[in-house]
Amino acid sequence: AGETFGIVGESGCGKTTLGRLLVGLEQPTSGSVVFDGRALGAQRGAEFRRRRRDLQMMFQDSAAALDPRMPVSALVAEPLAAQRIGTGRERQAMVAELLDAVGLPRAAARRYPHEFSGGQRQRIAMARALALKPKVIVADEPVSALDVSVQAQILNLLQDLRRELNLTFVIVSHNLAVVEHMADRVAVMYLGRVIEAGPAEQIFGRPRHPYTKTLLDSVLTPETGRGLPEFALGPGFPNPLEPPSGCSFHPRCPKVMPECAAARPAALHDGEAMVECHLYSGAPETVS
Ligand code: SF4
């Protein structure tokens, strides 16, 4: 609670799906999401609806996430109405306070999403996510659609709100700089699995998994052998529906060993850190 947890990986690794699972927008085909000691899927009806107040989401594309036909007052009040909180007048008072909290003028309530810049729309999305006083906010690529000049403003706003409201954030991003700036702990995903996780300073300062190391080297540069993972590792992902055998990273791994194709590495837990790689796990565990 009160931390920012970062989930990073290439496009298509499953990080957005994981974020949607956390807030109940997708149902897991296996496993469960446990929040405050209770599995989310086990709740029904009114209890499920009340539980959903605790878990809110900010989407990547605020232009698509905000209904263009609704004024800001209705957009921000909509979660309150859906949860039957307050009268119409009380909801409008809450909208005014939420606009204050995200740094928008109260007059913004009468305007429509297309009248705002991308950064302002992300503030509206934040006000909407905050309306139900959630405990956790999952922010999926919260600044990737914004100009670089306003990215820092939105990230600083998220940090300030997290501290003031003791929120827990889950930041989903392919942008390592964003995650390094925001996160206390980080999980690195590849083909639907978390392959390394730990405190942010360890993941960014002393990465162990070969994929994490390649990802951290993935800066746009004209130097041969560097660049985005697609260039550094060869073309794109394998098909996630038919993942490679053993360690699913083995066709692209610069450290591949004979056992890597035969067996998935067991997770090595080391304090708060975890890594899944035969370089660290000792005897490989054969999986079907
Ligand atoms: Fe590379 Fe093998 Fe480690 Fe997978 S298990 S990351 S293929 S060294």
Side-chain angles (χ1 to χ4, degrees):
E3 274 192 2
T4 298
F5 186 69
I7 303 174
V8 295
E10 286 170 271
S11 297
C13 71
K15 56 190 187 305
T16 290
T17 302
L18 180 57
R20 292 172 64 87
L21 281 163
L22 295 180
V23 296
L25 290 175
E26 308 269 358
Q27 293 304 314
T29 47
S30 65
S32 58
V33 178
V34 177
F35 179 68
D36 267 355
R38 300 222 32 208
L40 287 187
Q43 294 156 350
R44 294 275 177 273
E47 187 189 7
F48 178 67
R49 199 167 63 232
R50 208 205 62 72
R51 235 21 199 159
R52 292 196 67 163
R53 294 180 194 175
D54 291 336
L55 300 155
Q56 294 293 310
M57 184 139 190
M58 273 180 74
F59 295 93
Q60 175 176 0
D61 183 358
S62 56
L66 301 174
D67 188 332
R69 296 164 303 178
M70 293 170 74
V72 170
S73 57
L75 285 165
V76 177
E78 193 178 29
L80 299 164
Q83 292 276 346
R84 301 183 197 119
I85 295 172
T87 62
R89 186 184 288 268
E90 286 166 345
R91 284 179 209 146
Q92 287 314 308
M94 290 183 226
V95 168
E97 286 174 18
L98 288 160
L99 293 177
D100 289 345
V102 298
L104 285 173
R106 291 188 174 195
R110 294 190 297 275
R111 293 162 58 193
Y112 288 80
H114 73 271
E115 298 179 63
F116 295 91
S117 68
Q120 289 169 325
R121 276 200 301 271
Q122 216 41 324
R123 288 176 191 264
I124 298 167
M126 190 67 205
R128 191 175 147 97
L130 288 172
L132 296 173
K133 298 188 168 60
K135 293 180 179 168
V136 178
I137 292 183
V138 177
D140 184 9
E141 302 281 7
V143 295
S144 66
L146 304 179
D147 288 345
V148 173
S149 57
V150 288
Q151 288 186 0
Q153 293 171 18
I154 297 299
L155 293 177
N156 290 338
L157 172 67
L158 296 181
Q159 291 280 49
D160 291 346
L161 290 170
R162 179 178 68 82
R163 273 192 293 268
E164 283 166 26
L165 305 174
N166 196 32
L167 289 166
T168 303
F169 266 118
V170 179
I171 300 277
V172 177
S173 183
H174 72 284
N175 186 329
L176 297 170
V178 166
V179 173
E180 187 173 16
H181 178 68
M182 299 284 288
D184 301 295
R185 288 187 296 145
V186 176
V188 183
M189 286 188 72
Y190 186 77
L191 270 186
R193 294 184 67 79
V194 173
I195 47 89
E196 184 166 12
E201 64 271 17
Q202 181 170 338
I203 297 292
F204 286 99
R206 301 182 303 284
R208 293 189 288 180
H209 197 286
Y211 177 66
T212 310
K213 291 179 182 173
T214 306
L215 205 59
L216 293 177
D217 282 343
S218 303
V219 287
L220 281 171
T221 163
E223 285 174 54
T224 313
R226 292 173 67 87
L228 292 169
E230 286 77 5
F231 301 121
L233 296 171
F237 270 149
N239 180 355
L241 297 175
E242 294 176 48
S245 61
C247 170
S248 57
F249 185 53
H250 82 262
R252 304 170 81 193
C253 180
K255 303 276 186 190
V256 64
M257 302 178 288
E259 61 263 43
C260 297
R264 179 187 295 161
L268 175 78
H269 292 270
D270 173 14
E272 285 187 59
M274 184 283 284
V275 64
E276 267 192 9
C277 172
H278 286 313
L279 292 170
Y280 305 96
S281 60
E285 166 198 323
T286 303
V287 292
S288 56

